[in-house]
Amino acid sequence: MISKKFIDQNCEQKKGNGMELLHLQLALIDIVLEGDPLTEYMELKKLIDDKIKILPTILPFINDKNAPPEVPVIQSFDPECGYGINMTRNRVDFMSNKVDKYRIDEFSKYALKIIEKFKNTGIGRIGLISQYSIESENPPRWICEKFLRNEYGVLEEIVVKFNKKEVFDGIQINNLTQFQEALISENGIEKKKVHVLLDINSAQNYTKRTSTSKIANIVKSKIQAVAEMSVGDLT
């Protein structure tokens, strides 16, 4: 749950549609690493032009082949460049918390390069996760007026979550959307805002892996829409 959680806002892009994009993340799930995790991490870092300058955090399970594959083994985030890479043995997350028009194009370029790295083995699932803030003097009331009936009265700590499914190039896509109140830091000042989480992800396919070309098409189709998302697009 994100309600009343401190979110560090580094984005300076103000959107006329009332929503501000705070964070963008690509998740490649059920992947096959062909080398050891640290070697794979260094290759991923090169694919994003070595933007990340800090040393990654190497977690204790990195050399334990008996550990569950979903256990984190490497984590990194460089506040200076705003990029990070997290890894388990079967998942890679590439993220940015500095998101403006230029960064969207750069993030997309790097995301496609990372996807292409797995062309020989394919990818099980993909996620494109974005987080937004909406200005509101009373976030719970904003959510109530948008989604709930008046007879519920005064409510607090509201979480509204729903899924809009679609089919893209033969792949079932989930569009999971969540609205709730959160504390967001803006120039060092905490403000209550409506926090929006949009998780676009492909459904699990147990019979075959998805080609990187199809995964790339999903990202290219969705990422610009994510960047230009408005409240009306989500409700």
Side-chain angles (χ1 to χ4, degrees), residues 92-120:
V92 165
D93 286 88
F94 170 55
M95 64 206 83
S96 173
N97 73 341
K98 292 184 177 180
V99 192
D100 54 23
K101 186 177 186 305
Y102 170 77
R103 180 56 65 95
I104 289 290
D105 294 338
E106 186 178 74
F107 183 94
S108 180
K109 178 184 73 173
Y110 291 152
L112 294 175
K113 289 170 70 175
I114 291 173
I115 291 167
E116 181 67 10
K117 171 178 165 55
F118 299 98
K119 64 181 180 180
N120 293 331

Side-chain angles (χ1 to χ4, degrees), residues 206-224:
Y206 294 99
T207 60
K208 63 179 181 179
R209 302 175 68 76
T210 307
S211 69
T212 52
S213 61
K214 285 195 173 187
I215 294 291
N217 286 339
I218 294 173
V219 171
K220 286 186 284 189
S221 171
K222 297 294 184 180
I223 198 165
Q224 198 59 42

Side-chain angles (χ1 to χ4, degrees), residues 13 34 61 68 90 97 111 114-115 121 132 159 171 183 186 190 207 231:
Q13 181 187 25
E34 297 181 307
F61 296 103
N90 69 352
N97 73 341
I114 291 173
I115 291 167
T121 55
Y132 309 83
V159 180
I171 300 172
L183 284 176
E186 191 173 277
E190 295 180 19
T207 60
V231 175

